[in-house]
Amino acid sequence: MTQIAFIGGGNMARSLIGGLLKHGAAPSDINVAEPMAAAREALTSDLGVTCHGDNKAAAAGADVVVLAVKPQVMPAIQGDLRDILQAKSPLLISIAAGVRIDQLERWFGALPIVRCMPNTPALIGAGATGLCANAAVSAAQKAKAQEVLGTAGVTRWIDDEALMDTVTALSGSGPAYFFAMVEAMEAAAVAQGLPRDAARALAAQTCLGAGRMLTEGGEDAATLRQRVTSPNGTTQAALESFAADGLPLIVANAMGAARKRGVELAASLDEPT
């Protein structure tokens, strides 16, 4: 069986581990390195996996190593992991936002590496993850990476790594855009006199229903939008207001800002510390 090590035991790691276990992985095949004792105890109690306070102990013997730590922690853990990774040459999967493959190669050496950008709905099995691989990753290893990330939702391979910053702007940061939209809809409804609990429930369910129609119905967003919009009706009035206020440009500018910030954050890891 494939031995998988998670370096970092936070929420995203926990969601992936939970997904793997639901899809048939054995707890004995998963090791986790987590510095916080309370978190280690919770992972062992809740999921039955073996936890370590030491990165080397978790990674020893692993066929797949998942780096589930914050980007700024990456340079610090290379001292723990570089030699052991070079000796075993496992598949290295990074879910750290914005960290480039060339940076991972510089820190951990020549390895098969998959860079991933999951998002927070992965915590409930409804995630969207973009993946890209370096040339050392075999077809079998790509399948394994997709298996690991696919337990948390939809996955898509991206051939050009430069586009991973766009993936970050689209789906990585995207849940917050929808939260902001629902927040604004709720506030507007309350301002018009609707009770807040009703406004919140109706707005949230509307977001869920629209999302399910997009993912389950097989039709694109433009078709669904047109279907909801009756000529000279209430929806058309709202959409015309959106257009007049420049919604497409607002969204494009926001995604551009997110992409630019992702590039800047990755570049900051190239600076001497």
Side-chain angles (χ1 to χ4, degrees), residues 15-26 30 47 123-125 151:
S15 69
L16 294 175
I17 294 167
L20 287 167
L21 296 176
K22 287 179 182 177
H23 285 75
I30 299 174
L47 301 175
L123 301 176
I124 58 169
T151 63

Side-chain angles (χ1 to χ4, degrees), residues 84-257:
I84 197 168
L85 294 180
Q86 286 296 298
K88 176 73 174 178
S89 193
L91 171 63
L92 188 65
I93 299 175
S94 169
I95 63 172
V99 177
R100 303 188 311 267
I101 288 175
D102 69 285
Q103 292 172 319
L104 295 166
E105 290 172 336
R106 186 172 73 248
W107 296 326
F108 301 105
L111 295 166
I113 296 173
V114 172
R115 171 186 171 184
C116 306
M117 183 65 247
N119 63 6
T120 54
L123 301 176
I124 58 169
T129 301
L131 309 91
C132 64
N134 67 2
V137 177
S138 68
Q141 289 172 324
K142 286 187 73 172
K144 176 56 67 175
Q146 189 158 348
E147 176 186 329
V148 172
L149 275 297
T151 63
V154 170
T155 58
R156 289 293 183 272
W157 285 97
I158 309 299
D159 293 331
D160 181 357
E161 188 188 0
L163 294 175
M164 288 295 288
D165 291 309
T166 299
V167 172
T168 299
L170 175 64
S171 54
S173 299
Y177 311 159
F178 287 92
F179 298 149
M181 180 68 173
V182 170
E183 186 180 9
M185 290 169 63
E186 177 188 331
V190 170
Q192 293 179 24
L194 204 64
R196 184 166 295 279
D197 61 340
R200 180 167 300 168
L202 292 172
Q205 185 65 22
T206 298
C207 187
L208 172 63
R212 287 190 59 184
M213 290 180 74
L214 278 168
T215 57
E216 298 175 15
E219 295 177 308
D220 62 22
T223 299
L224 292 170
R225 171 182 53 77
Q226 292 163 3
R227 187 165 296 162
V228 175
T229 309
S230 300
N232 298 315
T234 59
T235 306
Q236 181 174 326
L239 292 176
E240 287 175 352
S241 178
F242 276 145
D245 289 337
L247 179 63
L249 181 59
I250 290 170
V251 173
N253 286 342
M255 288 185 56

